[in-house]
Short mmCIF file of all heavy atoms in Angstrom, two decimals:
data_model
loop_
_atom_site.label_atom_id
_atom_site.label_comp_id
_atom_site.label_asym_id
_atom_site.label_seq_id
_atom_site.Cartn_x
_atom_site.Cartn_y
_atom_site.Cartn_z
N LYS A 101 86.20 95.60 107.81
CA LYS A 101 86.03 95.38 106.37
C LYS A 101 84.55 95.68 106.01
O LYS A 101 83.68 95.52 106.87
CB LYS A 101 86.45 93.97 105.94
CG LYS A 101 85.60 92.82 106.52
CD LYS A 101 85.96 91.51 105.87
CE LYS A 101 87.36 91.00 106.17
NZ LYS A 101 87.64 89.70 105.59
N GLY A 108 81.18 88.00 102.57
CA GLY A 108 82.02 87.04 101.81
C GLY A 108 82.82 86.22 102.80
O GLY A 108 83.07 85.04 102.55
N ASP A 109 83.30 86.79 103.83
CA ASP A 109 84.12 86.11 104.84
C ASP A 109 83.30 85.03 105.50
O ASP A 109 83.71 83.85 105.69
CB ASP A 109 84.58 87.18 105.87
CG ASP A 109 85.75 86.69 106.71
OD1 ASP A 109 85.69 85.59 107.27
OD2 ASP A 109 86.75 87.48 106.78
N GLU A 112 82.66 82.27 103.11
CA GLU A 112 83.81 81.33 102.93
C GLU A 112 83.84 80.26 104.04
O GLU A 112 84.14 79.15 103.74
CB GLU A 112 85.13 82.14 102.92
CG GLU A 112 86.30 81.34 102.47
CD GLU A 112 87.38 82.23 101.89
OE1 GLU A 112 87.21 83.46 101.66
OE2 GLU A 112 88.49 81.67 101.63
N PRO A 156 94.65 84.88 112.18
CA PRO A 156 94.87 86.35 112.11
C PRO A 156 93.51 87.10 112.08
O PRO A 156 92.44 86.48 112.03
CB PRO A 156 95.56 86.49 110.78
CG PRO A 156 94.94 85.43 109.88
CD PRO A 156 94.64 84.29 110.83
N ASN A 158 92.57 89.34 109.69
CA ASN A 158 92.06 89.92 108.42
C ASN A 158 90.93 89.09 107.77
O ASN A 158 90.15 89.63 107.04
CB ASN A 158 93.26 90.06 107.45
CG ASN A 158 93.88 88.79 106.99
OD1 ASN A 158 93.82 87.81 107.72
ND2 ASN A 158 94.40 88.80 105.83
N PHE A 159 90.85 87.81 108.14
CA PHE A 159 89.73 86.98 107.71
C PHE A 159 89.22 86.28 109.02
O PHE A 159 89.54 85.13 109.20
CB PHE A 159 90.06 86.00 106.62
CG PHE A 159 90.07 86.62 105.25
CD1 PHE A 159 91.15 87.38 104.83
CD2 PHE A 159 88.95 86.55 104.42
CE1 PHE A 159 91.12 88.01 103.60
CE2 PHE A 159 88.91 87.17 103.19
CZ PHE A 159 89.98 87.89 102.80
N ALA A 162 86.69 83.26 108.12
CA ALA A 162 87.10 82.35 107.06
C ALA A 162 88.38 81.60 107.45
O ALA A 162 88.41 80.35 107.26
CB ALA A 162 87.38 83.15 105.78
N ILE A 163 89.38 82.25 107.96
CA ILE A 163 90.65 81.58 108.22
C ILE A 163 90.50 80.58 109.40
O ILE A 163 90.91 79.41 109.32
CB ILE A 163 91.85 82.50 108.34
CG1 ILE A 163 92.05 83.18 106.98
CG2 ILE A 163 93.05 81.77 108.79
CD1 ILE A 163 93.21 84.12 106.87
N TRP A 166 89.12 77.53 107.82
CA TRP A 166 90.07 76.80 107.01
C TRP A 166 90.81 75.75 107.87
O TRP A 166 91.29 74.75 107.39
CB TRP A 166 91.17 77.68 106.41
CG TRP A 166 90.70 78.63 105.36
CD1 TRP A 166 89.42 78.86 104.90
CD2 TRP A 166 91.53 79.55 104.63
NE1 TRP A 166 89.44 79.78 103.96
CE2 TRP A 166 90.68 80.27 103.80
CE3 TRP A 166 92.92 79.81 104.71
CZ2 TRP A 166 91.23 81.28 102.93
CZ3 TRP A 166 93.40 80.83 103.83
CH2 TRP A 166 92.58 81.55 102.96
N THR A 233 98.53 81.20 110.85
CA THR A 233 98.54 82.20 109.76
C THR A 233 98.98 83.56 110.35
O THR A 233 98.38 83.95 111.30
CB THR A 233 97.19 82.30 109.09
OG1 THR A 233 96.81 81.04 108.56
CG2 THR A 233 97.20 83.34 108.00
N LEU A 257 102.08 82.49 105.55
CA LEU A 257 102.70 83.75 105.90
C LEU A 257 102.53 84.85 104.89
O LEU A 257 101.51 84.86 104.22
CB LEU A 257 104.20 83.44 106.21
CG LEU A 257 104.39 82.19 107.19
CD1 LEU A 257 105.84 81.84 107.32
CD2 LEU A 257 103.71 82.47 108.51
N ASN A 261 102.44 90.22 96.42
CA ASN A 261 101.85 89.63 95.24
C ASN A 261 101.86 90.72 94.05
O ASN A 261 101.56 91.82 94.25
CB ASN A 261 100.47 89.20 95.55
CG ASN A 261 100.45 88.45 96.88
OD1 ASN A 261 101.09 87.39 96.96
ND2 ASN A 261 99.86 89.00 97.88
N TRP A 280 90.37 96.18 93.03
CA TRP A 280 89.85 95.18 93.95
C TRP A 280 91.10 94.45 94.64
O TRP A 280 91.10 94.24 95.82
CB TRP A 280 89.02 94.16 93.19
CG TRP A 280 88.43 93.05 93.92
CD1 TRP A 280 88.55 91.73 93.54
CD2 TRP A 280 87.63 93.01 95.11
NE1 TRP A 280 87.87 90.92 94.45
CE2 TRP A 280 87.37 91.69 95.45
CE3 TRP A 280 87.26 94.01 96.00
CZ2 TRP A 280 86.61 91.27 96.55
CZ3 TRP A 280 86.47 93.63 97.13
CH2 TRP A 280 86.20 92.26 97.39
N THR A 285 89.55 95.11 101.19
CA THR A 285 89.99 94.91 102.58
C THR A 285 91.09 95.91 103.05
O THR A 285 91.90 95.58 103.83
CB THR A 285 90.43 93.43 102.85
OG1 THR A 285 89.72 92.57 101.91
CG2 THR A 285 90.18 92.95 104.25
N GLN A 288 94.54 94.73 103.31
CA GLN A 288 94.96 93.84 104.44
C GLN A 288 94.66 92.39 104.17
O GLN A 288 93.91 91.71 104.90
CB GLN A 288 94.23 94.27 105.77
CG GLN A 288 94.51 95.70 106.12
CD GLN A 288 93.62 96.17 107.27
OE1 GLN A 288 94.11 96.39 108.38
NE2 GLN A 288 92.31 96.25 107.03
N ARG A 289 95.19 91.89 103.09
CA ARG A 289 95.09 90.51 102.67
C ARG A 289 96.52 90.00 102.39
O ARG A 289 97.30 90.70 101.83
CB ARG A 289 94.34 90.37 101.39
CG ARG A 289 92.87 90.75 101.51
CD ARG A 289 92.18 90.51 100.15
NE ARG A 289 90.80 90.80 100.13
CZ ARG A 289 89.82 89.98 99.73
NH1 ARG A 289 90.11 88.81 99.29
NH2 ARG A 289 88.59 90.40 99.79
N CYS A 290 96.74 88.70 102.75
CA CYS A 290 98.01 88.20 102.36
C CYS A 290 98.09 88.05 100.87
O CYS A 290 99.22 88.03 100.29
CB CYS A 290 98.34 86.89 103.09
SG CYS A 290 96.99 85.93 103.66
N THR A 291 96.94 88.05 100.23
CA THR A 291 96.97 87.93 98.75
C THR A 291 96.77 89.31 98.03
O THR A 291 96.61 89.32 96.80
CB THR A 291 95.80 86.98 98.26
OG1 THR A 291 94.62 87.50 98.87
CG2 THR A 291 96.04 85.58 98.65
N ALA A 292 96.80 90.38 98.78
CA ALA A 292 96.59 91.67 98.21
C ALA A 292 97.61 91.92 97.04
O ALA A 292 98.75 91.48 97.08
CB ALA A 292 96.77 92.77 99.22
N GLU A 391 106.20 93.27 102.73
CA GLU A 391 104.74 93.23 102.83
C GLU A 391 104.30 94.48 103.70
O GLU A 391 104.78 94.67 104.82
CB GLU A 391 104.25 91.95 103.52
CG GLU A 391 102.74 91.89 103.60
CD GLU A 391 102.26 90.47 104.11
OE1 GLU A 391 102.78 90.10 105.17
OE2 GLU A 391 101.45 89.86 103.45
N PHE A 393 100.70 95.48 103.99
CA PHE A 393 99.43 95.02 104.59
C PHE A 393 98.57 96.33 104.79
O PHE A 393 98.02 96.58 105.85
CB PHE A 393 99.56 94.29 105.93
CG PHE A 393 98.76 93.01 105.92
CD1 PHE A 393 99.04 92.04 105.03
CD2 PHE A 393 97.73 92.87 106.87
CE1 PHE A 393 98.35 90.81 105.11
CE2 PHE A 393 97.00 91.71 106.92
CZ PHE A 393 97.30 90.67 106.04
N LEU A 419 103.15 83.97 97.31
CA LEU A 419 101.76 83.50 97.53
C LEU A 419 100.94 83.49 96.25
O LEU A 419 100.74 82.47 95.64
CB LEU A 419 101.10 84.38 98.61
CG LEU A 419 99.70 83.95 99.00
CD1 LEU A 419 99.59 82.46 99.29
CD2 LEU A 419 99.17 84.77 100.18
N SER A 420 100.51 84.68 95.82
CA SER A 420 99.70 84.72 94.58
C SER A 420 100.29 85.67 93.56
O SER A 420 101.03 86.58 93.91
CB SER A 420 98.19 85.04 94.90
OG SER A 420 98.13 86.34 95.38
N ILE A 442 99.70 80.34 93.91
CA ILE A 442 98.40 80.60 93.18
C ILE A 442 98.66 81.59 92.06
O ILE A 442 99.26 82.68 92.29
CB ILE A 442 97.35 81.27 94.18
CG1 ILE A 442 97.21 80.40 95.47
CG2 ILE A 442 95.97 81.45 93.50
CD1 ILE A 442 96.47 81.10 96.59
N TYR A 444 96.67 83.62 88.86
CA TYR A 444 95.38 84.03 88.26
C TYR A 444 95.71 84.56 86.85
O TYR A 444 96.62 85.34 86.62
CB TYR A 444 94.73 85.16 89.03
CG TYR A 444 94.24 84.74 90.40
CD1 TYR A 444 94.99 84.88 91.55
CD2 TYR A 444 92.95 84.18 90.53
CE1 TYR A 444 94.53 84.51 92.78
CE2 TYR A 444 92.45 83.86 91.83
CZ TYR A 444 93.21 84.02 92.95
OH TYR A 444 92.81 83.68 94.16
N THR A 449 94.90 89.21 92.20
CA THR A 449 95.60 88.24 92.99
C THR A 449 94.78 87.68 94.10
O THR A 449 95.25 86.87 94.98
CB THR A 449 96.82 88.87 93.62
OG1 THR A 449 96.44 90.05 94.28
CG2 THR A 449 97.87 89.17 92.60
N ILE A 450 93.53 88.09 94.27
CA ILE A 450 92.70 87.59 95.33
C ILE A 450 91.41 86.90 94.67
O ILE A 450 91.09 87.22 93.57
CB ILE A 450 92.24 88.70 96.29
CG1 ILE A 450 91.43 89.81 95.65
CG2 ILE A 450 93.41 89.32 96.96
CD1 ILE A 450 91.04 90.93 96.51
N GLY A 451 90.88 85.95 95.44
CA GLY A 451 89.71 85.24 94.88
C GLY A 451 89.79 83.78 95.08
O GLY A 451 89.17 83.08 94.24
N ALA A 452 90.53 83.32 96.08
CA ALA A 452 90.69 81.88 96.22
C ALA A 452 89.36 81.22 96.66
O ALA A 452 88.64 81.79 97.43
CB ALA A 452 91.76 81.64 97.28
N GLU A 453 89.16 80.02 96.19
CA GLU A 453 87.99 79.24 96.49
C GLU A 453 88.39 78.07 97.38
O GLU A 453 89.50 77.55 97.26
CB GLU A 453 87.28 78.78 95.25
CG GLU A 453 86.92 79.95 94.33
CD GLU A 453 86.29 79.54 93.02
OE1 GLU A 453 85.65 78.45 92.95
OE2 GLU A 453 86.38 80.29 92.05
N VAL A 454 87.45 77.66 98.34
CA VAL A 454 87.85 76.72 99.40
C VAL A 454 88.18 75.34 98.96
O VAL A 454 88.83 74.59 99.75
CB VAL A 454 86.79 76.65 100.51
CG1 VAL A 454 86.50 77.99 101.14
CG2 VAL A 454 85.52 76.00 100.01
N PHE A 458 95.40 76.45 98.97
CA PHE A 458 95.77 77.83 99.24
C PHE A 458 97.08 77.80 99.92
O PHE A 458 97.25 77.21 100.99
CB PHE A 458 94.70 78.51 100.07
CG PHE A 458 94.99 79.95 100.33
CD1 PHE A 458 94.40 80.95 99.53
CD2 PHE A 458 95.82 80.33 101.37
CE1 PHE A 458 94.66 82.26 99.81
CE2 PHE A 458 96.11 81.67 101.64
CZ PHE A 458 95.52 82.63 100.85
N SER A 471 93.05 74.61 102.81
CA SER A 471 91.94 74.46 101.83
C SER A 471 92.11 73.25 100.97
O SER A 471 93.19 72.58 100.95
CB SER A 471 91.73 75.69 100.97
OG SER A 471 91.25 76.76 101.70
C1 UN1 B 1 94.05 86.41 102.49
O1 UN1 B 1 94.42 86.97 101.41
O2 UN1 B 1 94.50 86.77 103.58
O3 UN1 B 1 91.52 84.82 98.11
C2 UN1 B 1 93.01 85.32 102.39
C3 UN1 B 1 90.68 85.43 98.70
C4 UN1 B 1 90.08 84.95 99.99
C5 UN1 B 1 91.09 84.55 101.00
C6 UN1 B 1 92.17 85.49 101.13
N1 UN1 B 1 89.20 83.86 99.67
O4 UN1 B 1 90.30 86.48 98.27
#
Side-chain angles (χ1 to χ4, degrees):
K101 64 171 68 177
D109 199 308
E112 193 153 349
N158 65 335
F159 277 81
I163 294 184
W166 292 1
T233 299
L257 311 174
N261 315 296
W280 179 233
T285 329
Q288 302 171 112
R289 292 183 181 233
C290 22
T291 52
E391 184 173 53
F393 230 64
L419 181 51
S420 64
I442 307 168
Y444 292 92
T449 52
I450 62 183
E453 302 178 25
V454 300
F458 181 96
S471 289

